[in-house]
Structures are given as structure tokens and as C-alpha cells.
Amino acid sequence: MALEIYNTLTRKKELFTPLEPGYVGMYVCGPTVYSDVHLGNCRTFISFDIIYRYLKYLNYKVRYVRNITDAGHLEGDRDEGDDKFSKMARAQKIEPMEIVQRYTLGFRDVMQLFNTLPPSIEPTATGHISEQIAMTQTIIDNGYAYEKNGTIYFDVEKYNAEKPYGILTNRKLEDLLEGTRDLDGQDEKKGRLDFALWIKAKPEHLMQWPSPWGMGFPGWHIECSAMSSKYLGKQFDLHGGGMDLAATHHTNEIAQNEACFHKSPAQIWMHTNMLTVNGTRMSKSLGNGFLPHELFTGAHALLDKAYSPMTVKFFMLQTHYRSTLDFSNDALQASEKGLKRLWEAYENLQKMQYTLGEINVEIEEKTATLIHGFDESMDDDFNTAKVLANMFEIVPIINSIKDGLMPIGSISQNTFALLQTKMKSYLEDVFGLIPAQESNNNNLANVMELLIDIRKEAKLKKDFATSDKIRNQLSNIGIVVKDEKDGSVSWNIG
Ligand code: AMP
Ligand code: ZN
């Protein structure tokens, strides 16, 4: 079997044929760095990391571009108001780029804790202002954008007269228009769906740049068109992001690229489904976002205990990336047990020495089929859940050998060797799970739980000398303990 990928654009799985044999260009919309990434964001980035790793496992040379949105993303989805960075900067009385720096570093730390690989290029919107201006100018020159008082709008109706604007989510312009409110007479836009490529800045605006249309800043959508075309060319293989980006951000990216280059950017559009909490999408604006460190420390009302990054990642891999995934303490607990069981079997497997014996045809065939199923499942639109299901069927075989219930020679030497190498490639290289971190993190979390308990008891007894000593000495070794307003205690490695 060869790799098939579900394409949002065609609404079916397609055989993956890279534009240039042996090479893959992949663009993924990165985080908007104005606050901490939540676990939903992490799901999307972890999914694309596994996809990147699998493409490398298939020996493709992959250029993986994931941007950092550090300008242009406005508060609401209308083209007005402050951008998210300036709003935070104003509130905290610091520079917008301090906000950007803080959350970019935080994002990278979290991605490292999940053992994801850094992308090949991580371009920033602020580093590509001239490219965004140039692209905007070409779109104006080609007749698909217009200026109103220093702001440049994309003319959706004009574009739609030639090319279907809603092609990505298979919707007609009339249907899309239904979901928008009427222009109120004050609006600069000609059409309700028109969106800004460049936005005029008020004098007090904190992030602004000179342009042929005066001082301003780029719209959010144009940054991805400018950066993907710069680093991957006008057409490339894969474009990804969360499903919530398809209807607007990615739809606008396609329109911009077509209007500028007369080409649709990506062959295949991939969208990850949402991480939900009690069935509702996890999101910053809804206030139901779990932060990764709340999981790693257990400091959240919905959690009984801390979970390691590998448990959280394993929990995510047990569901296909195009299905929703509901987050709960019980599900995490099950994943923790599952990962432990799998990892123990894997470690035992790696220590085993093969000796010839009488092959049990049934076990031999079953084992071989399960192992071949790894690649088959990943070739079937990156079905990590199916790979793990196969692994869990292999675990009892490994355990039977380990416990002396079945001779190792019941399976052939070839199959046994394949089992050892494929389990290693998948668990460590494709899924990027790390065993050592698993136990170290659990140990640290357990020790912290104990210290926090002792401190709590000391405080109850008004023994503040002891409680302060615990907090101060932890702080000296870089662990910050914080008393939360709700009475709980959190900690992080600061
Ligand atoms: P943002 O920082 O808001 O631009 O989002 C970064 C990425 O996370 C985007 O690809 C979003 O589609 C994705 N995302 C946001 N919320 C969720 C969620 N609840 N589950 C999965 N992905 C999400
Ligand atoms: Zn984007």
C-alpha cells in the first residue's frame, strides 16, 4: 500500500504523490503568540509532528514550515480593533514584542516537553512585512483588491465571479453571505465577506509599518500566503492546521494565492479535529483551555493528579487526528496505564535474545500481520490509533514469551527481528515517545505532591518556618510553588 491522505479540498482520501519525487513541502499554521498555548493547540501541533516524522520515516526529504503569528491577528474576526499582542502589551504595560518573546519561548518549551521536532523553518509575520506588502500590491494590480482610507480589502465577490471562493469547505457564496451581518453604512468594505490584506494603523497603534498605503499592519491571512510561497514555492504538497481554520483563514489563503499567482497553494489540505472538554471545543476565548503545565503538575480542578507529557501525547495518539477527542481525567488515567503496559512490554522485548524453536504457524502469522499493519495503518491517512491497537494485541505475545508461557522460537527469527525494529521505529521515531522522561517526570510529580502536602500540614499547624523553607528552597533550585486563589497549590519549573 502507498500513503493516502484525506484532502479537505476534495473530501476524500487521495494517493499522495509529491510534486517533486522524494521531496515534501509542508506548511502548518503556527500559534498566535499572545498567550500560553492550550492543550487543544498542542493536539494540532503534535498531530502534524507525527505526520512530519512519518514522512521522514518514509524517507522523504521534508521541508516543514510552521510560522509564528506575531502580528496582524486582531481581537475579533472583524477587521477592526487592536491586535492581540498590542492588547496584552497595553494591559501589562510592556512592549508587544515582549509578549511575543515570552509566548514564543513558552510554546517552544512545551513542544520540546512533548518531544516534537522543530520545524525546518519557523518564520514570523513581523519578519516578513515586505513580502506581505509585495503580495498585497500584486493582488491590487491583478484587480482583486481595493483601497479604502489606507486599508486594503480583498474583493471576494469579484474573485468569486471567476473562481469559487468557498471551494475548501464546499460552500457557495450565497450560503456564506447568509452567515454574515449586513454592512452598516459606516463600513469601508464593498462586500460583506471582503477581508483586509493591509490595515491602516491609528497613530496610537503599537505595531505598525510603512507601506505604499501609509502606516499600517498586515492582515492575518496574508502572512501565511506570503511565508508559504516564499519558502515552499507557489505550489507545494501539504498545508495543515486545525479544522477551525478551514472556513476563513485557509479559504482566504487560497483566494489570495489564486489572485496573486493564479495558482492554488497546496495540493492537499489537512485539518485536525478539535480537542474538546465535555463536548465543547477547548479554546482560549471560551475559558475552558487546559494549559500543558496544569497537566504536568496536576494543578487543575478537573484533575486528580499530574500526568506526564508522554501520557498526554499517548492519549492523543489513541484517537485519529480527524476525530474529535474529549479530554477527561478518566481518559488520561487509562492512557497512563496503557502506556506503562506497552512500554514495559517494549523494554522486555528489546532485551530478549532469540533462539530457534518450533514455529507456531498461527502465532507467527498473527504477529507478522500485526506488524505489517503499522505501516498499512499509517499509510491510511496516518491512523495512529490503529497502530496502537495493533501494538496492544502484540503485548500479550511479548508477555507470554517473557513469562515463559510460550517459547520465543514460536515465531520465526525474521518476524522477531522485525518486531524489535518496528516497535522501536514506531514508538521512538514516528511517535516520539521517550521512556526516561516518563519515569523522571512521574517521580518529580510524586515528590512535589509529597512536599506540597508537608507544606500544607505545616501551614495548618502555623509552622510557617517549615512551609517557607520548603517554598524558598524549591525556588532556589528553580521550582516555583504558587498558592492559587482557590486554595490549590501549583508549581512549575520556572
Ligand atoms: P491559534 O494560536 O489560536 O492561532 O491556534 C493554533 C492552532 O491550534 C490552529 O491550528 C488552531 O486551529 C488549533 N486549535 C485551536 N483550538 C484547538 C482545539 N480545541 N483542538 C485542536 N486544535 C485547536
Ligand atoms: Zn495560517
Side-chain angles (χ1 to χ4, degrees):
M1 209 176 129
L3 177 60
E4 288 192 354
I5 306 179
Y6 182 86
N7 190 351
T8 309
L9 193 60
T10 55
R11 289 165 288 285
K12 58 177 197 285
K13 282 184 203 162
E14 288 175 7
L15 185 67
F16 178 58
T17 321
L19 291 164
E20 200 181 325
Y23 291 84
V24 179
M26 165 163 135
Y27 187 90
V28 171
C29 293
T32 307
V33 284
Y34 72 104
S35 65
D36 289 312
V37 278
H38 60 65
L39 218 60
N41 305 133
C42 295
R43 181 189 189 196
T44 288
F45 299 126
I46 289 172
S47 301
F48 284 107
D49 178 64
I50 304 291
I51 288 164
Y52 176 42
R53 285 167 174 273
Y54 186 63
L55 291 167
K56 282 157 75 87
Y57 165 90
L58 294 179
N59 284 322
Y60 285 115
K61 290 202 163 41
V62 189
R63 181 179 292 168
Y64 172 25
V65 183
R66 187 185 65 208
N67 70 299
I68 296 280
T69 296
D70 60 351
H73 203 158
L74 297 184
E75 287 173 65
D77 52 5
R78 312 260 313 153
D79 298 317
E80 55 206 33
D82 232 346
D83 64 73
K84 297 185 184 214
F85 321 95
S86 303
K87 190 181 172 202
M88 287 292 270
R90 239 184 258 285
Q92 298 183 27
K93 298 196 171 52
I94 55 174
E95 280 291 319
M97 287 315 272
E98 282 182 273
I99 296 287
V100 164
Q101 175 77 354
R102 179 188 303 163
Y103 294 112
T104 303
L105 294 181
F107 168 65
R108 291 199 185 124
D109 283 349
V110 168
M111 287 294 103
Q112 205 170 5
L113 282 173
F114 281 121
N115 194 32
T116 64
L117 300 173
S120 331
I121 306 178
E122 200 172 36
T124 61
T126 52
H128 297 78
I129 299 291
S130 60
E131 287 83 351
Q132 296 174 76
I133 291 175
M135 217 174 149
T136 302
Q137 186 63 58
T138 310
I139 297 174
I140 298 174
D141 295 345
N142 291 349
Y144 296 99
Y146 56 92
E147 182 189 348
K148 271 285 168 71
N149 306 321
T151 292
I152 311 295
Y153 292 103
F154 189 94
D155 189 337
V156 172
E157 275 178 55
K158 163 101 194 287
Y159 173 82
N160 190 68
E162 294 161 33
K163 298 225 155 111
Y165 170 71
I167 188 168
L168 187 59
T169 50
N170 196 25
R171 287 191 299 170
K172 293 204 164 54
L173 195 71
E174 304 80 71
D175 302 336
L176 290 168
L177 279 167
E178 255 179 35
T180 57
R181 68 172 165 90
D182 279 339
L183 296 178
D184 55 13
Q186 305 288 312
D187 237 302
E188 294 173 337
K189 296 178 186 180
K190 285 203 265 181
R192 280 187 272 165
L193 290 171
D194 294 357
F195 57 92
L197 299 173
W198 183 263
I199 301 159
K200 180 189 170 71
K202 297 198 177 84
E204 67 275 16
H205 209 99
L206 293 175
M207 298 178 93
Q208 50 177 299
W209 292 267
S211 80
W213 319 287
M215 293 301 288
F217 54 93
W220 170 37
H221 316 298
I222 194 75
E223 73 172 86
C224 288
S225 286
M227 292 190 270
S228 62
S229 57
K230 171 157 180 159
Y231 296 111
L232 298 172
K234 291 170 187 156
Q235 272 190 313
F236 50 92
D237 300 293
L238 304 173
H239 193 313
M243 208 171 252
D244 56 322
L245 299 186
T248 307
H249 183 55
H250 292 162
T251 292
N252 291 349
E253 262 188 77
I254 295 178
Q256 290 165 162
N257 279 53
E258 287 274 10
C260 185
F261 307 123
H262 309 290
K263 282 193 167 113
S264 188
Q267 284 210 93
I268 296 188
W269 285 84
M270 300 182 67
H271 291 102
T272 48
N273 212 327
M274 296 291 109
L275 184 69
T276 56
V277 185
N278 296 324
T280 306
R281 173 166 97 92
M282 186 180 283
S283 110
K284 281 170 205 159
S285 48
L286 293 175
N288 64 351
F290 273 72
L291 300 182
H293 82 83
E294 291 174 329
L295 270 129
F296 308 154
T297 61
H300 193 288
L302 283 181
L303 298 176
D304 293 353
K305 61 191 276 296
Y307 293 97
S308 75
M310 290 304 115
T311 297
V312 179
K313 181 166 170 176
F314 187 73
F315 156 73
M316 293 181 181
L317 296 180
Q318 284 176 294
T319 300
H320 187 260
Y321 78 88
R322 280 193 297 114
S323 304
T324 53
L325 171 59
D326 203 50
F327 179 83
S328 72
N329 190 64
D330 288 354
L332 280 171
Q333 227 159 48
S335 293
E336 188 177 69
K337 279 202 194 111
L339 178 57
K340 187 163 177 285
R341 202 163 149 253
L342 183 58
W343 208 274
E344 274 168 11
Y346 168 60
E347 282 180 338
N348 287 329
L349 171 72
Q350 298 307 332
K351 284 185 220 138
M352 287 176 184
Q353 293 287 333
Y354 188 79
T355 42
L356 287 171
E358 194 182 330
I359 292 173
N360 177 328
V361 178
E362 196 187 325
I363 300 284
E364 162 71 9
E365 280 176 4
K366 181 177 173 188
T367 311
T369 308
L370 287 168
I371 303 168
H372 290 301
F374 295 177
D375 288 357
E376 280 165 18
S377 304
M378 285 301 277
D379 278 349
D380 182 12
D381 195 27
F382 309 101
N383 196 338
T384 54
K386 185 77 198 345
V387 176
L388 290 177
N390 279 20
M391 286 187 181
F392 278 115
E393 284 197 58
I394 289 173
V395 166
I397 299 175
I398 299 172
N399 290 349
S400 301
I401 296 173
K402 152 109 197 334
D403 297 339
L405 302 173
M406 189 175 85
I408 199 164
S410 304
I411 48 179
S412 70
Q413 190 157 13
N414 274 348
T415 302
F416 184 76
L418 196 65
L419 182 61
Q420 281 186 321
T421 52
K422 284 279 177 185
M423 286 286 281
K424 183 168 169 54
S425 314
Y426 266 85
L427 286 174
E428 299 196 25
D429 303 337
V430 180
F431 294 163
L433 294 166
I434 320 172
Q437 190 200 27
E438 179 64 17
S439 50
N440 286 345
N441 265 322
N442 270 342
N443 288 345
L444 178 61
N446 290 338
V447 170
M448 283 306 297
E449 209 171 305
L450 178 69
L451 284 172
I452 286 171
D453 264 357
I454 297 173
R455 182 168 167 265
K456 203 158 127 194
E457 281 165 20
K459 275 173 110 179
L460 280 175
K461 288 189 220 140
K462 302 210 180 310
D463 175 6
F464 297 114
T466 304
S467 69
D468 287 349
K469 182 175 175 190
I470 293 175
R471 197 187 50 201
N472 295 341
Q473 300 226 344
L474 283 170
S475 163
N476 289 345
I477 58 165
I479 298 179
V480 183
V481 174
K482 203 170 143 212
D483 295 304
E484 305 289 352
K485 286 196 193 94
D486 63 2
S488 66
V489 180
S490 70
W491 61 272
N492 62 45
I493 301 172

